[in-house]
Structure formats: structure tokens, C-alpha cells
Amino acid sequence: MARNPSETKEKLLNAFDELLDEHGTAGATLDAVAARAGVSKGGLLYHFGSKAELIRGSLERLELLVAEDVEEMKAAGERLHYHYLETSAEVGTALDRSLIAAGCLALENDDAKAALRTTREAWFNTLNDHLGDADLAMTIQLIGDGMYFNQNFGLSQDDALAHVKRILKRLGL
């Protein structure tokens, strides 16, 4: 029975992202990725001929996930900035895992740094287009960053979003 190539690629990318999170770039070897994904090393090399191609695949997936996220933001209409904040603290999602992987890669990979920069710019531009105020858009983005950081390190407060929403309401947002 033939396997679905795109399903195998996703399994490999998921394994790579998980290993980056758990062990950094040194632990995300081709052998470890293949083993984690349950694919032979030859199967991995069929889809990704090198670690550089695996990195490129991971960053391309991040780009796609961010584009989907921006579309979801836009679909929220007048609540766009609230949607951004409400989803900033989500962990365990495909986008979250992809962001963590890119963050690990960015420690030693300029393409990953550029991908993260592009991600932030896409979110900022979407917020800025919606709010019409670059300072306010940056403030909302930084609040979202703080919420994401706190959630990923187990520092989150249950009522943090409620505090932020009360402040935004005072500002007429």
C-alpha cells in the first residue's frame, strides 16, 4: 500500500520540530528525526535530502501557518486585536511548535532569524492596518509576546487577558 508523501513529510517535520524543542539543533539529527517519525533514514532523505532541506521545510511550514493565522486574524473583523491577544497564549498548536522550532534554529541560523522577523512583521502589519496606529499595534504585539512567553514557561496568570481587555476597553478599543 502506497503511503501519502505529504503525510510522511508532516511526520518528519513534526519530529524535527519536537527534537529541536527537546534537544536543540545538536539533538535534531537526521537519524533522530527518522527514528522519532517512524520512518527509515532513506525515507527521510527521499523527502529531505539534508538537514538544510529539513530546516527549509520547517521554515516554509512556519510561513504557511503564519499566513493562515493572519487570515484568521482578519476574519475576526473588528475584534482582530482581541483575537490576536486571545490566541497569543495558545500552546501546543502547530503554529506554537513551529515558532519554538524556529526560535531554536535562530540561535545559529540566519534564515530562521529572518523567518521570525517576517512573522513578527506580518502580525504587526495586520494589527497596524486594523488599528491605524503603529504605536498601539506595537503595544498590542508586545502584550501578546508577554502572554506567549508566560504561557510557554508556566508563568501565566488566569486573569491576565481579562486585565488587558479592561485596559483596552478604557482606551476605547
Side-chain angles (χ1 to χ4, degrees), residues 73-139:
M73 288 171 66
K74 291 176 181 178
E78 289 303 311
R79 291 194 76 258
L80 185 147
H81 53 292
Y82 283 108
H83 175 80
Y84 176 79
L85 291 168
E86 290 164 354
T87 60
S88 287
E90 291 179 343
V91 295
T93 65
L95 178 56
D96 172 51
R97 289 187 302 273
S98 218
L99 285 167
I100 290 169
C104 292
L105 290 168
L107 296 172
E108 53 192 61
N109 183 291
D110 289 338
D111 290 338
K113 287 178 194 170
L116 289 172
R117 197 172 304 114
T118 299
T119 294
R120 292 195 49 75
E121 288 169 0
W123 285 331
F124 172 79
N125 290 336
T126 304
L127 287 164
N128 190 35
D129 290 347
H130 169 67
L131 296 167
D133 181 331
D135 294 330
L136 185 56
M138 181 58 66
T139 300

Side-chain angles (χ1 to χ4, degrees), residues 5-26:
S6 62
E7 185 178 303
T8 302
K9 284 180 86 168
E10 282 300 307
K11 282 175 58 174
L12 290 163
L13 290 171
N14 289 340
F16 183 58
D17 288 354
E18 290 168 10
L19 287 165
L20 285 167
D21 182 27
E22 295 169 14
H23 305 289
T25 55

Side-chain angles (χ1 to χ4, degrees), residues 36-84:
R36 173 71 62 98
V39 174
S40 69
K41 188 168 181 185
L44 180 151
L45 292 171
Y46 173 79
H47 293 286
F48 300 101
S50 65
K51 190 168 184 179
E53 286 184 27
L54 198 54
I55 290 169
R56 187 170 25 262
S58 181
L59 297 177
E60 287 171 357
R61 181 166 70 170
L62 173 62
E63 183 180 351
L64 290 172
L65 292 169
V66 170
E68 289 173 9
D69 191 55
V70 165
E71 289 307 311
E72 287 177 20
M73 288 171 66
K74 291 176 181 178
E78 289 303 311
R79 291 194 76 258
L80 185 147
H81 53 292
Y82 283 108
H83 175 80
Y84 176 79

Side-chain angles (χ1 to χ4, degrees), residues 150-161:
N150 285 346
Q151 189 66 32
N152 270 291
F153 290 98
L155 306 171
S156 128
Q157 296 174 318
D158 293 336
D159 56 355
L161 184 58

